[in-house]
Amino acid sequence: MAELKYALYTGCTARESTPELLMSTMAVAKKLGIELVLLDEASCCGASHLQDFDDFLSLVLNARNICYAEKRNLPMLTICNTCQLNTVMTKERLDSDEDLKSQVNEKLAEVGLEYKGTSSVRHFLYAIIDDYGLDKLAEKVERPLSDFNVAAFYGCHNIRPSHLHNKQNAVNEDSSKENPYNPSSLDRLIEALQGKSVDYESKNKCCGFHADLQAPKTANRLTGTALLDAIDNDADMMVTPCPLCHLNMDVKQHAAAKEMGRDIELPVLHLPQLIGLALGIDPEELGLKHNVAEVNFV
Amino acid sequence: MSTKRITKKLTFKTFRFNAETDFLPYFKLYEMEVGKDELILDILNRIKWEFDGSFSYRRSCRHGICGSCSIKVNGKPVLSCKQNVWELVELFDTDTLLLEPQSRKRVVKDMIIDKKDFWDKHRAIKPWLEAEIDEHPEEEIRVSPKEADELLEADYCIQCGNCYYACPAVEVNPEFFGPAQFAKAYRFNADVRDRAKIDRLETVREMGPGVWDCVKCFECAEACPKDVDPIGKITKLHNQLFEEHMAQDNVATRHAVGFKHSIKKHGLLDEGELVRYSEGNIGVMKHIPEAIAMFKKGKIVMPWNMPKSKNLDEIQTLIKSSSKVKF
């Protein structure tokens, strides 16, 4: 198999409020022999909020980010669902509209760049499943998660709109196709690490992150509902591929518990933290000390 | 040559409840052989005609245009008369399908729900053309193809309610208008003949019921059987609020604009500063307990350590040349 190499678009959160996400991503990649080149030139994806204010500007900035992956001749790798969605939405719009693409390229030319559309954009979850392979991952497990019930929390922006993601993720004919009403990729990954994936209704629902500031009650109710659903179905921990979901499930766990009127204590791991534990990577390297809800089983 | 019809033996686990007489809802199982061309509406008909005449559901046109026969199958909102059964069998990899009403908490009988809240909110956004039209016009009002294109897919909405009952914001915030309503508001706002754009923008900018309370989950886009992409239209309404200088100075609008300030300064988002800018110096106080918890865990980057994108000058050049909106 050819060596896997990606241009890593970290997004903002992994550089600031979830340093453990970047640490664990790098540690897992190193252990699996995946080469990651940091896209240090990249800017924020706008997280759908810049898009609300100035759609064209957000297109230009996201196209610029992709340009830097293209310049390196590498597929772009994301570790945040919202970065993934905003980047592939940009890619889809530019690749399907020559007129829009030339308007954007006219601006990019001012800084000596050109968007071509040659780099694919992959989320870490699908890179592990489809590019690296679950069978191969299963062989590398040193500390099986066999004692644990793990609740997969998918995060909206990796699974909806499904037509867009299934198209962008279709790098070959065996690529994962996700059913947004019953997603399975993360559950399959948990099983490959020999954990027991929890069957619960909230796994494909919204955590409310994008309304945290303007509608905290809505956000806390959605976060709290999902956490309690996982707990009521015997989860020992939750895992998510999205740092924004993680912020709500972990940092805001206390606020969600208050809103729901029930105690909530559930460790919430980033996807690479979970993989890293199963691969026997030192918890220190996975940044577990940065998790707010105590990871009490390590 | 065999002419035998190929069928699949399927079980339909079906939600049953009569709000007038039943204490609790229950499920009934209906087994039948289903051909490859059969639709969910055919199954609803067969349950009524072959098993139980009291089974109730809405149906009318059978052509995907009246919007009355929507239900949920295995949690997926479907327009019954457009949804092939075998497709769902393949999608869910199962021979048992769960038939449910769009919203259990609004059930009147079996698949029939009370859509009053949907229609009340729909009416509130003025889903009609407001125009002063001469009773005896000398010539027609012309709309060019380019102007008509501005409606995007918003004109295809059939008010089936799939997006509305899939929307989590509607469920936890009963005053939230909902995706179908916003898509309709956009449809008329984008119509060159209409004169009520400003009125509608005043309605949809309200905090609580309005567009700012959308959680951006894309459930609406996924649920729509007509590819209206309601969340895309919600984004358009956000854009119109800024373009028409109707965006009020509040936490939600500052949150959107704050991204630009932050990207201009650092390339990346300054998360702490974004919260401060959005909430204001007093509003930000309520986040202090959370900030302390984050600080203790090494989750707060101090302003002097804020990471910056490489080639930040490029980003600043592009912001200068590509910005199209002011606040």
Side-chain angles (χ1 to χ4, degrees):
Chain A
M1 195 174 104
E3 287 247 324
L4 291 175
K5 190 173 175 182
Y6 302 92
L8 177 65
Y9 176 34
T10 65
C12 308
T13 316
R15 305 259 189 171
E16 298 174 57
S17 56
T18 60
E20 69 277 11
L21 172 61
L22 186 54
M23 292 168 73
S24 55
T25 301
M26 300 310 276
V28 167
K30 190 175 151 205
K31 181 98 180 177
L32 296 179
I34 299 171
E35 195 179 339
L36 299 179
V37 180
L38 284 173
L39 272 182
D40 285 326
E41 300 87 349
S43 64
C44 169
C45 74
S48 80
H49 301 290
L50 179 65
Q51 285 76 352
D52 287 343
F53 175 52
D54 193 330
D55 180 59
F56 184 72
L57 176 61
S58 73
L59 272 179
V60 172
L61 293 175
N62 278 306
R64 177 181 168 277
N65 293 344
I66 304 172
C67 284
Y68 276 100
E70 293 181 355
K71 272 179 82 158
R72 292 176 167 94
N73 234 336
L74 290 173
M76 184 194 259
L77 187 75
T78 66
I79 48 175
C80 167
N81 291 22
T82 297
C83 291
Q84 175 69 19
L85 177 65
N86 285 294
T87 309
V88 292
M89 278 173 84
T90 300
K91 183 168 168 55
E92 178 74 15
R93 283 172 71 186
L94 298 182
D95 291 350
S96 62
D97 185 342
E98 282 300 322
D99 188 40
L100 189 64
K101 190 163 101 176
S102 58
Q103 285 175 46
V104 167
N105 272 332
E106 201 178 296
K107 300 295 176 192
L108 289 173
E110 295 171 14
V111 293
L113 293 170
E114 184 192 358
Y115 171 85
K116 299 192 184 81
T118 48
S119 280
S120 61
V121 181
R122 315 273 284 150
H123 188 283
F124 182 76
L125 170 63
Y126 297 103
I128 292 290
I129 292 182
D130 291 334
D131 300 348
Y132 188 80
L134 282 186
D135 292 343
K136 228 175 115 187
L137 182 70
E139 286 168 18
K140 303 256 173 168
V141 171
E142 287 177 21
R143 290 178 59 187
L145 302 174
S146 33
D147 292 335
F148 299 109
N149 296 333
V150 186
F153 191 77
Y154 283 79
C156 302
H157 293 172
N158 249 7
I159 56 174
R160 288 182 289 268
S162 59
H163 66 90
L164 175 65
H165 293 298
N166 284 336
K167 183 178 164 190
Q168 294 287 340
N169 283 336
V171 288
N172 61 52
E173 55 187 38
D174 300 326
S175 299
S176 298
K177 257 196 159 180
E178 205 81 272
N179 170 0
Y181 296 102
N182 187 23
S184 64
S185 59
L186 197 46
D187 291 277
R188 286 187 287 128
L189 194 145
I190 291 165
E191 304 277 343
L193 306 174
Q194 298 180 41
K196 191 179 171 304
S197 84
V198 175
D199 188 15
Y200 72 122
E201 218 178 325
S202 300
K203 69 177 180 182
N204 58 348
K205 302 291 188 291
C206 178
C207 72
F209 178 85
H210 290 276
D212 266 7
L213 290 185
Q214 63 269 37
K217 196 177 162 73
T218 294
N220 285 333
R221 283 208 82 79
L222 296 181
T223 295
T225 303
L227 284 165
L228 288 172
D229 191 8
I231 289 168
D232 291 344
N233 284 285
D234 293 330
D236 299 312
M237 65 178 107
M238 181 181 266
V239 63
T240 176
C242 177
L244 307 184
C245 293
H246 192 272
L247 283 172
N248 266 20
M249 295 295 168
D250 183 56
V251 174
K252 298 229 170 198
Q253 196 170 105
H254 183 68
K258 211 168 148 192
E259 173 64 34
M260 302 303 283
R262 266 180 72 182
D263 287 341
I264 300 179
E265 274 176 45
L266 188 70
V268 184
L269 298 185
H270 296 277
L271 173 61
Q273 286 185 316
L274 183 82
I275 298 174
L277 284 178
L279 295 181
I281 298 174
D282 183 358
E284 187 91 359
E285 272 188 76
L286 299 172
L288 287 175
K289 65 168 191 206
H290 293 293
N291 293 44
V292 171
E294 203 193 336
V295 185
N296 47 16
F297 51 82
V298 178
Chain B
M1 202 170 77
S2 167
T3 54
K4 194 170 173 288
R5 184 170 167 252
I6 301 168
T7 59
K8 283 184 185 179
K9 187 171 186 167
L10 302 177
T11 303
F12 296 93
K13 186 178 171 186
T14 308
F15 180 93
R16 301 297 308 267
F17 183 64
N18 182 344
E20 281 184 5
T21 56
D22 289 337
F23 174 49
L24 288 171
Y26 56 99
F27 289 88
K28 268 198 165 177
L29 303 180
Y30 302 103
E31 267 185 20
M32 52 187 110
E33 293 289 339
V34 179
K36 73 171 169 46
D37 295 327
E38 285 188 80
L39 306 169
I40 291 294
L41 181 59
D42 294 320
I43 304 304
L44 299 180
N45 287 335
R46 286 180 64 187
I47 293 173
K48 188 172 185 75
W49 298 339
E50 295 171 21
F51 294 89
D52 183 352
S54 76
F55 178 61
S56 303
Y57 53 102
R58 287 197 177 100
R59 69 187 195 281
S60 180
C61 78
R62 215 220 74 111
H63 281 82
I65 206 68
C66 75
S68 49
C69 68
S70 275
I71 65 164
K72 275 184 185 162
V73 183
N74 281 24
K76 176 179 161 63
V78 302
L79 191 60
S80 301
C81 67
K82 273 190 72 185
Q83 179 62 58
N84 178 277
V85 182
W86 279 27
E87 259 176 42
L88 293 176
V89 167
E90 194 184 329
L91 180 67
F92 288 99
D93 191 22
T94 177
D95 52 13
T96 301
L97 291 172
L98 174 67
L99 308 182
E100 282 177 288
Q102 288 174 302
S103 166
R104 284 197 194 183
K105 69 185 185 195
R106 295 173 179 83
V107 172
V108 178
K109 188 162 186 289
D110 302 334
M111 299 297 130
I112 297 175
I113 61 164
D114 181 352
K115 279 178 81 169
K116 185 177 187 303
D117 57 337
F118 176 92
W119 292 118
D120 285 349
K121 291 174 188 174
H122 188 253
R123 205 172 302 115
I125 58 93
K126 298 191 177 168
W128 54 75
L129 265 187
E130 291 243 306
E132 278 180 34
I133 293 171
D134 190 345
E135 277 184 42
H136 306 285
E138 299 279 314
E139 57 180 327
E140 65 273 49
I141 302 172
R142 292 198 190 120
V143 178
S144 72
K146 195 165 177 284
E147 287 167 336
D149 282 348
E150 282 300 305
L151 304 185
L152 304 170
E153 315 84 358
D155 208 22
Y156 303 148
C157 176
I158 55 174
Q159 291 91 48
C160 70
N162 272 2
C163 61
Y164 182 82
Y165 301 108
C167 172
V170 166
E171 293 309 307
V172 298
N173 169 11
E175 59 175 359
F176 187 63
F177 276 114
Q181 289 69 5
F182 293 131
K184 194 60 91 183
Y186 171 77
R187 184 256 169 264
F188 287 101
N189 276 7
D191 194 312
V192 289
R193 299 165 296 178
D194 182 73
R195 296 287 169 267
K197 183 175 180 181
I198 299 303
D199 280 2
R200 283 192 208 91
L201 288 178
E202 268 175 13
T203 307
V204 304
R205 73 178 176 180
E206 287 291 310
M207 297 289 280
V211 286
W212 300 110
D213 283 55
C214 167
V215 291
K216 300 171 183 278
C217 64
F218 285 74
E219 290 275 9
C220 57
E222 197 65 48
C224 180
K226 305 294 266 187
D227 294 332
V228 165
D229 182 25
I231 188 167
K233 309 305 168 286
I234 292 173
T235 303
K236 290 277 184 194
L237 289 174
H238 284 123
N239 295 158
Q240 285 182 353
L241 284 168
F242 285 110
E243 286 155 12
E244 298 289 339
H245 309 289
M246 297 272 298
Q248 291 159 309
D249 189 8
N250 60 37
V251 61
T253 54
R254 286 192 299 267
H255 184 228
V257 179
F259 272 75
K260 181 174 160 181
H261 294 321
S262 209
I263 295 170
K264 195 169 164 188
K265 203 165 165 197
H266 307 285
L268 296 174
L269 191 67
D270 182 342
E271 295 171 326
E273 170 58 17
L274 180 72
V275 175
R276 194 209 57 80
Y277 177 79
S278 308
E279 294 280 17
N281 288 333
I282 294 170
V284 76
M285 305 283 216
K286 63 174 173 280
H287 296 282
I288 287 177
E290 226 165 72
I292 292 173
M294 290 174 76
F295 180 76
K296 282 186 186 160
K297 294 286 185 174
K299 283 176 164 289
I300 299 230
V301 173
M302 288 297 155
W304 51 88
N305 284 331
M306 184 55 211
K308 284 190 195 304
S309 303
K310 224 168 119 183
N311 303 356
L312 182 60
D313 56 322
E314 288 177 12
I315 296 166
Q316 289 163 341
T317 302
L318 290 172
I319 288 179
K320 206 168 175 190
S321 75
S322 309
S323 290
K324 293 207 167 176
V325 192
K326 281 205 166 70
F327 178 60

